[in-house]
Amino acid sequence: MAVLTFDHAKVWRLGADIDTDVLAPGAYMKHTIDVIAQHCLSSVRPEFASQVQRGDVLVTGPNFGIGSSREQAAGALVHLGVRAVIAPSFSGLFFRNAFNLGLLLLTCDQALQVQEGERLSFDGQSLCRTNGEHLGCAPIPDFLLEMVEAGGLLNLLKRQVTTRADVSQSA
Amino acid sequence: MQAPQTLAQKLIAKAAGLAHVKVGEVVTCDVDLAMFHDSSGPRRLQPMLEALGASLWDPKKVVLVLDHYVPAHDPDAQRIVAFTRKTATTWQLPHVIDSEGICHVVLPERGHLKPGMFCVGGDSHSPTGGAFGAYMFGIGATEMLGVVVTGKIWVQVPRTIRMHWQGRLHTGVSAKDMMLHMIGTFGMNGGQYQAIEFAGPAVHALPMQERMTLSNMSAELGAQVGLIAADDVTVQYLQNVGVSNERLEDARRWQSDDGAESETHVFDASALAPQVAAPHSPANTRAVDVFANTAIDVAYIGACTGAKLEDLRAAAQVLRGRTISSGVQLMVAPASARDQALAESEGVMQVLRDAGAQVLPNTCGACAGYGATFAENTTVISSTARNFKGRMGPASVQVYLASPWTVAASALRGRITDVREVV
C-alpha cells in the first residue's frame, strides 16, 4: 500500500479556484502531455513546472480543478510526478479524472493551515505536518484507492481484458 | 411504501437496472449514449484502445462531433482532424457530425437525446443534455475509454438541489442571466457535484434552447447534472427533430415525485435584472448596472452556451435596424449550421450582418481557446460560459460574461449596457 501513503513530501501551496485551464492551458492542448506539463500552472507559479520534484504535493484552497473535462489537467500533474493534491474541496469532474489517472486527491478541511515549503506525511488516514500536528482527511472509497494503486483506470482495464481473455481461453 | 424519488434517482435507477436507489449509494450504470469530440475523442481513445487490444462496445451508441479543431488552421489541428476522420471510418461510426456545429447543440438537434436516457460526454458542458430530462454528464478521456470498452460507468447517487424559479422574466432578461445569478450566489462549486433540478413556472415558460443554457452552465455551478423534467415544450421540440412518438411515450414519466427530498432555493424571475460576470470567474456576477459604462473592444456571440438560434434571435431583436458602435468588433459564431440556416431564413442573420457583425464558422471558436483567440489587452463581452484568466487569449484579456441580449446592446454603445434601455 506504499503508493497510498507518503513521507515528508515537499509542499507547493496554491490559492483557491485553480482551474483546468491554468493546469492545462488551451493553447497547448494540441500537444502531448509532456509539452502541456511544461506549461502547467505557469500563469500562477511560473517556476512550478521546471522546479517541482517527483514526490512533491500540492496544497490548495477550495474548488481545485474547476472548469473543463480535459483530463490533461490531472495528467500534467501526474507527468510532473506530483504525489497528491490536498484541498478542502475539488471539482467533481476533476476528482474523477484524477483517480482515473492514478493521482491521489485528499479532501482536508484544514488544508490551508499547511504552509509553502512544509514537509507533509500521510499514513493512509490523516496528514502529519512538520510541527507534528495531524489533519484529518475525508475517507476515500476502496475502489478509488484501488485505481490509484493500479496507476489508473487504463491499468485496471488491462487486467480486466487480460482476465477475460484467460477465461475464454480456458473455457 | 417506497420513499418518493427525485428525477435524478429515477434516471440512475433505470440505468442501473434497479427499482430505486439511495442518495450516496455508488452504482454501476449502463450507458445509452456516449458523445465525444475531436479533442477528447479518437486522438485520446484510439491509442489506449490499441494498448488494451479492445474495441468499441457499441458504435451505434456513440456520437462523434468535430467542433474544437475545425476549421483546421495549422498543421497540428490538421493532423488531429485528419486522425479523427480516419478513426471514425475505422470504427465504422454511424453517427459523425463534422464541422456542422457544437456537440451539445447538434446532439439534440439530430434527435439523439430523449427523456429517460443515461448519457456521458467527453466535454464538461455535457450536462446540457439534462434539459431533455436525460441524465448526462461530462467525463475525461480515460473514463470515456472505460465507457467505450465496457458500456458502463459508476456514479454516486447525488442529492438534488432544486432551483425553483417563480414569476416571469422581463424582455431582455434570459436563461443566461438566471444562470449567472445562480453562479454568483452559490459559487463555481456551489453545485457540489450533486444533481441540480431547474423547476418552476419561469423555467417551464422557456423555449427548449433557453433551457439548454440553464443545463449547460450547470457545469459552472459545479453540478454533475442540470435536469429539467420534460413537458409539452420538450416533446414538441423532440417531435420536430424527428424523434418518433413511440419513443416519446414515456417522456412525461420522468419527473421528481411529490415530497422527494431536495434542498430547494426559490428565485423570482420577475425581479431579475440582466447579469454580468466580471473577469476572471463566472462567480464574479453582479447586476449589469455595476459594470455599466465599462468600455469594450469586442462583443462575442458564440459557443454552445450563447449562440443557438434563440440567442441569435435575441441579438437580432436588439440590433434590428441599427449599427454597432465604431471601434467595436462584433463576432457571431452560430452554434450550429442548422441554427444558422434557420436564422438566415428568418432574416436574423441579415440583421446581424447589417448591424456590422462578422460571422464565424459553426464551431467552439474562441470559447475553447484552442485556436484563434483575442489579442493582448482586449476587453471582451461574451455570451460564452467561462472567463477564466488566459482561456480566450493572453492573460491580459479581460472577458465579461453576459447574455446575447446584453452583448448585443453593449456592441451598440461600445460599453456595457443594460439591454432594457435599448429594447
Side-chain angles (χ1 to χ4, degrees):
Chain A
M1 295 287 277
V3 73
L4 299 175
T5 61
F6 51 82
D7 258 325
H8 294 89
K10 187 191 154 194
V11 168
W12 291 76
R13 196 177 180 282
L14 302 166
D17 302 327
I18 298 293
D19 63 67
T20 53
D21 302 42
V22 166
L23 291 161
Y28 303 98
M29 284 292 289
K30 289 177 210 144
H31 302 290
T32 46
I33 197 68
D34 51 325
V35 178
I36 296 170
Q38 286 167 29
H39 302 277
C40 181
L41 292 168
S42 61
S43 64
V44 291
R45 292 291 290 270
E47 76 286 14
F48 177 75
S50 58
Q51 292 182 12
V52 66
Q53 301 280 317
R54 202 150 278 279
D56 289 357
V57 296
L58 296 185
V59 175
T60 84
N63 308 332
F64 188 84
I66 50 172
S68 160
S69 67
R70 62 185 74 161
E71 68 177 11
Q72 289 93 330
L77 297 176
V78 172
H79 185 83
L80 294 169
V82 170
R83 191 67 199 74
V85 184
I86 300 134
S89 62
F90 295 92
S91 141
L93 179 44
F94 178 83
F95 190 86
R96 295 184 76 113
N97 282 340
F99 281 90
N100 283 318
L101 294 177
L103 177 64
L104 182 66
L105 303 185
L106 299 174
T107 309
C108 172
D109 290 341
Q110 301 103 327
L112 282 176
Q113 291 180 18
V114 179
Q115 301 302 311
E116 171 78 15
E118 235 186 86
R119 297 282 166 167
L120 209 52
S121 303
F122 181 63
D123 62 6
Q125 277 168 2
S126 65
L127 290 160
C128 183
R129 297 179 62 190
T130 314
N131 65 7
E133 187 189 356
H134 283 264
L135 304 175
C137 298
I140 301 167
D142 286 345
F143 74 100
L144 291 180
L145 292 176
E146 205 185 315
M147 209 109 87
V148 175
E149 273 194 297
L153 176 64
L154 180 59
N155 290 343
L156 275 186
L157 286 168
K158 273 181 190 159
R159 283 187 212 159
Q160 281 177 22
V161 171
T162 318
T163 318
R164 241 187 272 162
D166 289 349
V167 170
S168 60
Q169 269 170 16
S170 62
Chain B
M1 209 185 91
Q2 184 201 308
Q5 300 260 297
T6 62
L7 174 55
Q9 284 173 295
K10 290 182 183 181
L11 292 166
I12 290 172
K14 181 194 172 223
L18 298 166
H20 50 89
V21 290
K22 285 199 211 70
V23 169
E25 188 180 356
V26 174
V27 294
T28 302
C29 293
D30 286 329
V31 172
D32 295 317
L33 180 141
M35 183 274 290
F36 41 75
H37 52 60
D38 47 349
S39 184
S40 65
R43 73 172 177 134
R44 306 287 326 285
L45 297 172
Q46 175 58 20
M48 293 193 279
L49 271 177
E50 218 169 278
L52 282 178
S55 51
L56 296 193
W57 103 107
D58 191 348
K60 291 192 302 300
K61 292 183 177 170
V62 169
V63 180
L64 168 65
V65 183
L66 285 87
D67 58 3
H68 274 62
Y69 285 116
V70 286
H73 290 300
D74 62 74
D76 289 317
Q78 283 159 7
R79 179 177 47 77
I80 292 169
V81 169
F83 182 80
T84 304
R85 288 177 181 148
K86 192 183 103 196
T87 310
T89 311
T90 314
W91 288 352
Q92 298 182 298
L93 293 182
H95 308 300
V96 181
I97 305 167
D98 188 348
S99 311
E100 291 178 89
I102 304 169
C103 55
H104 309 296
V105 178
V106 295
L107 197 64
E109 176 187 284
R110 306 298 165 101
H112 288 294
L113 296 178
K114 73 173 195 78
M117 288 175 81
F118 185 96
C119 314
V120 295
D123 191 278
S124 62
H125 285 112
S126 299
T128 310
F132 297 87
Y135 200 97
M136 183 161 187
F137 59 104
I139 57 174
T142 300
E143 189 142 43
M144 184 61 82
L145 172 77
V147 170
V148 300
V149 171
T150 66
K152 294 177 193 302
I153 192 167
W154 67 271
V155 287
Q156 182 168 32
V157 181
R159 287 181 283 115
T160 288
I161 303 171
R162 203 173 168 83
M163 304 294 192
H164 186 93
W165 282 83
Q166 294 175 329
R168 204 179 174 81
L169 292 171
H170 286 281
T171 302
V173 186
S174 64
K176 179 66 173 286
D177 299 299
M178 295 163 76
M179 227 33 231
L180 286 176
H181 177 68
M182 287 183 273
I183 297 162
T185 304
F186 299 106
M188 276 202 75
N189 216 0
Q192 300 164 60
Y193 210 51
Q194 304 303 308
I196 286 176
E197 187 175 337
F198 300 103
V203 169
H204 286 280
L206 295 173
M208 212 53 230
Q209 287 193 330
E210 281 279 274
R211 298 182 190 189
M212 286 164 68
T213 303
L214 295 181
S215 297
N216 176 279
M217 286 193 77
S218 301
E220 279 65 38
L221 253 175
Q224 185 174 42
V225 291
L227 305 173
I228 303 175
D231 61 9
D232 291 346
V233 173
T234 323
V235 170
Q236 175 98 56
Y237 176 101
L238 293 172
Q239 284 170 334
N240 285 346
V241 298
V243 180
S244 68
N245 285 331
E246 196 189 331
R247 292 185 67 216
L248 290 172
E249 256 171 23
D250 72 342
R252 286 178 188 79
R253 180 188 141 200
W254 299 102
Q255 314 268 346
S256 287
D257 291 330
D258 288 338
E261 204 174 317
S262 66
E263 169 190 327
T264 301
H265 300 276
V266 179
F267 301 88
D268 180 8
S270 316
L272 188 70
Q275 305 283 305
V276 173
H280 296 283
S281 169
N284 292 341
T285 294
R286 300 285 181 276
V288 63
D289 57 337
V290 175
F291 307 108
N293 297 328
T294 304
I296 55 146
D297 305 304
V298 176
Y300 188 79
I301 294 176
C304 50
T305 313
K308 303 176 289 298
L309 178 59
E310 290 293 344
D311 303 312
L312 303 174
R313 285 174 176 159
Q317 201 166 324
V318 176
L319 295 171
R320 190 174 304 278
R322 292 159 155 167
T323 50
I324 58 169
S325 170
S326 62
V328 169
Q329 215 182 342
L330 171 62
M331 301 183 192
V332 179
S336 86
R338 198 173 287 181
D339 275 0
Q340 184 172 345
L342 289 167
E344 198 68 70
S345 70
E346 291 177 11
V348 161
M349 292 312 296
Q350 195 56 47
V351 168
L352 298 178
R353 281 191 298 264
D354 289 347
Q358 175 192 352
V359 179
L360 304 175
N362 310 122
T363 68
C364 300
C367 178
Y370 284 13
T373 52
F374 304 117
E376 289 277 3
N377 300 314
T378 311
T379 300
V380 183
I381 188 157
S382 174
S383 69
T384 56
R386 275 178 203 148
N387 55 351
F388 296 160
K389 193 176 190 172
R391 178 175 167 96
M392 293 171 78
S396 62
V397 173
Q398 304 287 312
V399 180
Y400 290 82
L401 302 176
S403 75
W405 295 89
T406 302
V407 173
S410 305
L412 210 52
R413 292 200 178 159
R415 52 194 165 77
I416 294 179
T417 297
D418 185 337
V419 65
R420 294 171 300 182
E421 294 166 13
V422 295
V423 288

